[in-house]
Amino acid sequence: MYTHQEERAVEEVCYDLSHIQQVIEVINNKFEEYFEEFIKLEGGNAISEENIKKIAKKLGVENIKSKNNADVKSVFKNIVVESIEDYEKDRAKYQAIFDEESLEEYEDDPQYFKSTVLKNECPIIHSTIHNKRAKELDKYRYEFNVSSPRELLTVVSKLSHFADQYYNKYYDSEEYDKVTDYKELGVSDLDTGDYTVYGVIGGGIKSHMLYKVYPAIFPNRSRDSIWGLWYLTDKKKFGCKQDSEFLMIDIDKSITNQNYFYPYELFTFYAHQIFQLINGKAKKHEVYIDLEYRYVIVDRFLSFIAKQHDEEIDLLRRQIKEGEFDYA
């Protein structure tokens, strides 16, 4: 068992065509199982029969009848509508931050952009900084405090420009879903230092900001999404020497996390492929998914998978911390 280096992304094998095909094959095989649960549990809004029976048993109630099969079309449609409504709640704040005219005005006062716009008006950065209960975020708070206002403004401006150019000049909605090679998606530049403020605007926050403005083309590489991919790929290593490409395990520090260095171009391709599976189900059941919200439903699906395994993820972390985990 090898430990991850702090700046690890993934092993080179993860970019090999044969490796990617193996990952996609397993995703295809596991998809049906999770999609059935996704519908049965109404995208996470319903309680599973197993939990209902546990609760009933504690209350001394026996012979709980199983629910009838869900109306897939109705439930699926409700999930899509609800997901988009939830997504839109704070979207305008991100659109305001990515407004190019506003970004140009901040050139005269980058400190205001950092201390007011990002710290107080960007939901994901605001919640990260003000989450005092999570001690592991102390490092983020420190890095944000010492970061250069000018660098933050420059990187956000570059992200805004990249997204605008991609959407208006590169993106073709009719051809996009036909892509079969991750390189064709054209997002590799986002994994470079030009679009990163190390310790402050990394892969997760960067992708979230892009996702909240252009959900048709930029998936949300969140914590839950990476954990969801680990389960959707059946926790397999696919030839990786260290462990799953979706995990970051450090035995020495007794830490296990989703791989928050996971390359965005690979994540985008897997999210792209998952959408094809979800959209296939939508067409089968005559449920309309607006392609402008393509990755909203993918985000909901991957988050759902992760949340179904919350207890197992907590157990995994405890096992790592106590030295009981053996990832053979």
Side-chain angles (χ1 to χ4, degrees):
M1 172 71 192
Y2 294 88
T3 60
H4 284 273
Q5 298 302 311
E6 187 174 357
E7 294 299 326
R8 173 188 184 268
V10 293
E11 297 170 34
E12 285 299 317
V13 68
C14 297
Y15 290 93
D16 291 349
L17 177 60
S18 59
H19 175 95
I20 292 171
Q21 288 175 335
Q22 289 177 52
V23 174
I24 294 297
E25 182 179 353
V26 174
I27 288 175
N28 289 339
N29 291 337
K30 293 288 290 183
F31 175 78
E32 191 69 35
E33 169 191 335
Y34 280 113
F35 184 79
E36 287 182 7
E37 287 295 303
F38 189 57
I39 297 299
K40 185 187 298 183
L41 299 181
E42 300 174 11
N45 290 331
I47 302 175
S48 69
E49 289 187 23
E50 180 182 354
N51 286 334
I52 289 174
K53 289 177 180 178
K54 286 180 180 178
I55 294 171
K57 187 175 182 180
K58 288 181 180 179
L59 296 174
V61 179
E62 302 291 342
N63 301 320
I64 298 295
K65 294 182 179 180
S66 297
K67 294 188 295 183
N68 295 326
N69 291 332
D71 177 352
V72 176
K73 180 177 180 178
S74 177
V75 172
F76 197 1
K77 182 178 179 180
N78 287 341
I79 291 172
V80 172
V81 171
E82 180 191 79
S83 298
I84 292 173
E85 288 177 348
D86 287 344
Y87 166 85
E88 285 287 351
K89 288 178 180 177
D90 63 357
R91 186 185 186 188
K93 294 181 179 180
Y94 292 93
Q95 291 173 318
I97 293 169
F98 266 35
D99 180 72
E100 291 197 9
E101 290 185 8
S102 297
L103 287 168
E104 289 177 5
E105 292 178 3
Y106 298 138
E107 289 289 340
D108 295 329
D109 192 356
Q111 181 60 46
Y112 175 85
F113 178 73
K114 172 185 175 178
S115 60
T116 299
V117 177
L118 289 185
K119 186 175 183 179
N120 296 325
E121 298 173 10
C122 179
I124 189 170
I125 291 179
H126 179 271
S127 62
T128 302
I129 289 174
H130 291 86
N131 184 354
K132 303 300 183 181
R133 290 178 297 177
K135 292 295 292 180
E136 65 268 22
L137 295 179
D138 285 347
K139 182 178 180 182
Y140 182 87
R141 284 184 277 270
Y142 170 79
E143 294 293 347
F144 183 87
N145 288 336
V146 301
S147 62
S148 161
R150 175 65 62 184
E151 184 183 10
L152 289 170
L153 176 58
T154 297
V155 166
V156 172
S157 297
K158 286 182 176 180
L159 287 170
S160 173
H161 181 72
F162 180 95
D164 179 74
Q165 292 293 301
Y166 189 106
Y167 183 78
N168 291 301
K169 295 186 177 180
Y170 182 77
Y171 172 61
D172 183 332
S173 61
E174 293 184 1
E175 296 298 319
Y176 186 83
D177 286 317
K178 299 176 184 177
V179 168
T180 58
D181 186 331
Y182 75 89
K183 295 176 184 176
E184 294 178 33
L185 291 174
V187 297
S188 61
D189 284 352
L190 293 174
D191 283 320
T192 66
D194 287 343
Y195 296 90
T196 304
V197 178
Y198 291 102
V200 182
I201 300 179
I205 286 181
K206 179 195 313 180
S207 76
H208 187 83
M209 294 173 76
L210 291 165
Y211 163 74
K212 293 299 291 190
V213 182
Y214 295 100
I217 48 179
F218 299 118
N220 184 25
R221 205 213 68 182
S222 66
R223 168 196 177 277
D224 281 350
S225 291
I226 299 295
W227 277 111
L229 272 175
W230 188 54
Y231 285 102
L232 194 53
T233 54
D234 205 19
K235 301 186 282 189
K236 295 184 181 295
K237 294 204 243 180
F238 300 104
C240 291
K241 295 179 180 178
Q242 297 184 350
D243 50 51
S244 168
E245 64 199 87
F246 302 111
L247 293 189
M248 179 175 293
I249 296 175
D250 190 324
I251 298 297
D252 293 336
K253 295 181 180 179
S254 300
I255 293 173
T256 181
N257 278 308
Q258 80 286 358
N259 184 1
Y260 44 77
F261 294 125
Y262 196 78
Y264 192 59
E265 64 175 337
L266 289 179
F267 175 78
T268 299
F269 182 66
Y270 291 132
H272 173 279
Q273 295 296 294
I274 291 167
F275 177 75
Q276 310 316 313
L277 296 172
I278 294 174
N279 203 34
K281 289 290 186 181
K283 291 176 179 178
K284 177 181 177 181
H285 296 287
E286 300 179 330
V287 174
Y288 173 69
I289 298 178
D290 185 343
L291 297 183
E292 285 298 299
Y293 294 95
R294 177 184 281 107
Y295 289 122
V296 171
I297 191 63
V298 173
D299 188 62
R300 178 67 176 270
F301 183 63
L302 288 174
S303 294
F304 167 81
I305 294 174
K307 286 178 171 54
Q308 298 313 297
H309 296 283
D310 273 347
E311 291 184 5
E312 184 180 344
I313 290 172
D314 288 342
L315 175 60
L316 173 62
R317 285 175 166 162
R318 289 199 301 272
Q319 288 176 329
I320 289 291
K321 187 174 183 178
E322 296 168 8
E324 298 175 356
F325 181 63
D326 180 18
Y327 199 161

